[in-house]
């Protein structure tokens, strides 16, 4: 009975319950524009994609689903991005009817650098930041769509709200068939969306640190410093590389004026970090840009936020380990701090298991289709990293491959969280140690 209430299992079950409810709602005749029940695979795929804040779709969101169906999808990715881990933790506390030390450790593991006493403060910050950011971006988008694109206020308000919530939750769902390609030259549309993506995806532990210690960066936690520096490096590196790779590509940036090239390259770099929107045709990118997206999508955003991937801090820890090994140092150090052995082991575990899921998914889909390998890899990493970008093959995949993508989306969103919690809670000292031996490496 004790294992049934393990927090990691609670998280997984809560996600499954929400996905099941979403699937049933999307199968209702009222959820589709035609008034006919959606096939169960279509409803399931959409529900998983929404709850796991991915954005991959097998049907066009704006035309296939009715207003009711679109509202259901919005609610699903709001729940998935708002912090299902927090809700699951509270559920576990209610079941146990006491704030046990074990439950406090669960919350600390999810919030990484935060102490057990900060749970209420974090929950309040999550709520305030979420509503404030979504409301601000929704108002900006609605006003722009009404004034510059002649949409009536109800249509502009709905489009603004849908894309604001989708952006903040890094969901990537759009009610436009071409995502945001119609606004590729409009900074007043893309800039608020980028801001929402970054704030939502950077992680609430970082936002909490910035909120409480903004005036004194010296007291920021190591997690905050790693996440901020890693995010800045990935955004700038992705921006410069995309400019380089796509500068002369007539199907993407090649035909654009300089200002639009800079805007679209920056938006693509931001969105590749698990947001899933696109202002240029992803299927028309060069193979180099696809390879760059593999890296950006797999790493993802910040821990305990709305982003997916193996997380920026995980990648930073692994790089620091490599630097320490190359330099012959016993410890991995940065910003005057030494990385714990436990965090290094956990980073390696997340990387290996994440890579294994990507390889497995790629092999399964390649066996079932004749699609190019690079496109399949792109789709698989996009699903596992809960990104939502696609080269255009999602709807063309057989149902078995689409179901494989749902497994990857669920694992990418739920698996990394539950794995981190399980590792944090499962660590214990053994009463004995075997003799040490050093196998040959390399």
């Amino acid at each position: 009975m004790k294992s049934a209430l393990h927090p990691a299992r609670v998280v997984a079950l809560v996600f499954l319950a929400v996905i099941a409810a979403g699937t049933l709602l999307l199968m209702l005749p009222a959820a589709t524009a035609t008034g006919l029940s959606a096939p169960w695979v279509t409803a399931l795929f959409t529900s998983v994609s929404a709850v796991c804040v991915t954005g991959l779709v097998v049907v066009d969101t704006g035309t296939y689903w009715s207003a009711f169906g679109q509202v259901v999808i919005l609610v699903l990715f709001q729940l998935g991005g708002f912090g299902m881990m927090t809700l699951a933790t509270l559920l576990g506390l209610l079941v146990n009817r006491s704030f046990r030390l074990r439950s406090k450790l669960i919350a600390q593991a999810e919030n990484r650098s935060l102490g057990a006493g900060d749970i209420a403060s974090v929950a309040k910050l999550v709520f305030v930041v979420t509503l404030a950011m979504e409301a601000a971006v929704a108002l900006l988008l609605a006003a722009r769509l009404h004034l510059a694109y002649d949409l009536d206020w109800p249509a502009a308000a709905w489009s603004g709200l849908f894309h604001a919530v989708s952006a903040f939750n890094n969901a990537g769902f759009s009610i436009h068939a071409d995502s945001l390609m119609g606004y590729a030259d409009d900074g007043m549309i893309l800039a608020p969306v980028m801001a929402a993506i970054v704030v939502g995806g950077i992680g609430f532990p970082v936002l909490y640190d910035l909120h409480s210690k903004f005036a004194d960066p010296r007291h920021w936690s190591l997690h905050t410093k790693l996440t901020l520096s890693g995010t800045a490096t990935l955004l700038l590196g992705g921006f410069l590389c995309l400019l380089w790779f796509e500068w002369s590509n007539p199907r993407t940036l090649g035909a654009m004026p300089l200002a639009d090239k800079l805007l679209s390259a920056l938006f693509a770099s931001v969105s590749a970090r698990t947001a899933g929107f696109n202002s240029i045709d992803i299927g028309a990118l060069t193979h180099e840009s696809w390879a760059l997206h593999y890296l950006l999508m797999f790493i993802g955003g910040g821990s305990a936020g709305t982003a997916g991937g193996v997380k920026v801090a995980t990648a930073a820890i692994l790089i620091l380990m490599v630097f320490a090994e190359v330099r012959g140092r016993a410890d991995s150090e940065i910003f005057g701090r030494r990385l714990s052995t436990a965090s290094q082991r956990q980073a390696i575990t997340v990387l290996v298991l994440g890579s294994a899921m990507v390889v497995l998914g790629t092999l399964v889909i390649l066996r079932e289709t004749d699609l190019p390998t690079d496109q399949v890899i792109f789709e698989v990493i996009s699903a596992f990293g809960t990104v939502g970008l696609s080269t255009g093959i999602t709807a063309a995949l057989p149902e078995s491959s689409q179901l494989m993508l749902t497994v990857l989306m669920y694992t990418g969103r739920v698996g990394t969280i539950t794995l981190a919690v399980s590792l944090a809670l499962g660590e214990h000292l053994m009463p004995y140690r075997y003799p040490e031996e050093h196998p040959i490496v390399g």
Side-chain angles (χ1 to χ4, degrees):
M1 183 64 183
K2 205 171 184 180
S3 61
L5 299 179
H6 189 283
R9 185 169 297 181
V10 171
V11 173
L13 292 176
V14 169
F15 262 86
L16 285 176
V18 176
I19 288 170
T23 302
L24 294 176
L25 288 173
L26 291 175
M27 289 181 67
L28 295 175
T32 65
T34 61
L36 302 175
S37 296
W40 73 271
V41 174
T42 300
L44 174 64
F45 189 97
T46 305
S47 181
V48 173
S49 184
V51 175
C52 297
V53 290
T54 304
L56 287 175
V57 293
V58 292
V59 293
D60 178 45
T61 305
T63 58
Y64 185 87
W65 302 106
S66 65
F68 171 75
Q70 293 175 22
V71 170
V72 170
I73 292 171
L74 183 148
V75 171
L76 290 177
F77 59 64
Q78 178 74 294
L79 288 174
F82 186 73
M84 191 62 73
M85 179 61 192
T86 303
L87 297 178
T89 301
L90 293 176
L91 178 61
L93 294 175
L94 290 174
V95 170
N96 289 317
R97 298 189 178 184
S98 66
F99 283 81
R100 299 176 182 175
L101 176 61
R102 184 166 178 261
S103 296
K104 293 182 179 181
L105 290 176
I106 298 162
Q108 185 174 350
E110 165 61 6
N111 296 325
R112 306 302 160 90
S113 59
L114 304 177
D118 297 320
I119 299 174
S121 299
V122 173
K124 180 181 178 181
L125 179 67
V126 170
F127 182 77
V128 171
V129 170
T130 298
L131 292 187
M133 194 70 193
E134 290 178 353
V137 174
L139 287 174
L140 289 173
L141 293 180
R144 181 63 175 171
L145 291 170
H146 175 71
L147 297 175
Y149 296 91
D150 297 325
L151 265 69
D152 57 66
W153 274 116
W158 171 242
S159 180
L161 177 64
F162 190 94
H163 290 95
V165 177
S166 182
F168 181 80
N169 289 288
N170 281 219
F173 276 87
S174 174
I175 55 177
H176 305 311
D178 61 354
S179 189
L180 299 182
M181 289 177 62
Y183 310 106
D185 59 348
D186 194 340
M188 296 186 71
I189 292 289
L190 298 188
V193 172
M194 283 190 286
I197 291 170
V198 172
V199 174
I202 206 169
F204 291 111
V206 175
L207 294 177
Y208 179 85
D209 223 7
L210 295 177
H211 171 72
S212 58
K213 307 169 188 174
F214 181 78
D216 193 357
R218 295 174 301 172
H219 292 159
W220 290 351
S221 68
L222 180 58
H223 171 76
T224 295
K225 294 177 181 177
L226 287 177
T227 301
L228 291 178
S229 58
T231 297
T233 301
L234 290 171
L235 290 178
L236 179 60
F239 167 68
L240 294 176
C241 287
L242 284 167
L243 275 180
W244 179 23
F245 297 151
E246 300 298 324
W247 186 269
S248 302
N249 185 349
R251 300 173 63 193
T252 54
L253 302 184
M256 294 182 178
L258 177 60
D260 293 346
K261 285 184 178 182
L262 297 176
L263 176 63
S264 290
L266 179 60
F267 186 82
S269 179
V270 171
S271 186
R273 306 277 318 295
T274 80
F277 292 111
N278 61 286
S279 63
I280 54 178
D281 185 1
I282 299 299
L285 293 175
T286 62
H287 292 282
E288 304 95 291
S289 293
W290 280 355
L292 174 65
H293 274 72
Y294 297 165
L295 176 65
L296 296 177
M297 294 189 301
F298 187 74
I299 293 176
S303 302
T306 60
V310 297
K311 304 300 187 295
V312 173
T314 302
I317 290 171
L318 293 168
I319 292 172
L320 292 172
M321 291 171 61
V322 172
F323 283 164
E325 190 65 29
V326 170
R327 296 166 62 189
R329 298 285 186 86
D331 298 321
S332 301
E333 303 165 336
I334 191 172
F335 299 124
R337 293 290 184 271
R338 172 171 52 87
L339 298 178
S340 69
T341 302
S343 66
Q344 296 178 61
R345 290 201 312 267
Q346 291 166 14
I348 292 174
T349 303
V350 170
L351 174 69
V352 171
L353 294 181
S355 301
M357 285 302 301
V358 169
V359 171
L360 175 63
T362 301
L363 292 175
V364 169
I365 296 178
L366 283 176
R367 181 176 175 81
E368 298 175 344
T369 67
D370 296 323
L371 294 167
T373 303
D374 51 1
Q375 287 185 286
V376 172
I377 294 175
F378 192 103
E379 202 82 3
V380 167
I381 297 179
S382 179
F384 175 78
T386 67
V387 181
L389 293 175
S390 174
T391 60
I393 66 173
T394 312
L397 292 171
E399 287 188 352
S400 56
S401 294
Q402 292 175 359
L403 291 175
M404 182 69 227
L405 291 181
T406 64
V407 173
L408 289 167
M409 289 188 285
Y410 179 78
T411 304
R413 180 61 177 161
V414 180
T416 52
I417 295 175
T418 55
L419 175 62
V421 174
S422 297
L423 291 175
L425 292 176
E427 184 178 356
H428 59 276
L429 296 177
M430 297 293 291
Y432 59 87
R433 300 179 74 184
Y434 290 109
E436 182 178 290
E437 188 169 341
H438 196 140
I440 299 174
V441 178

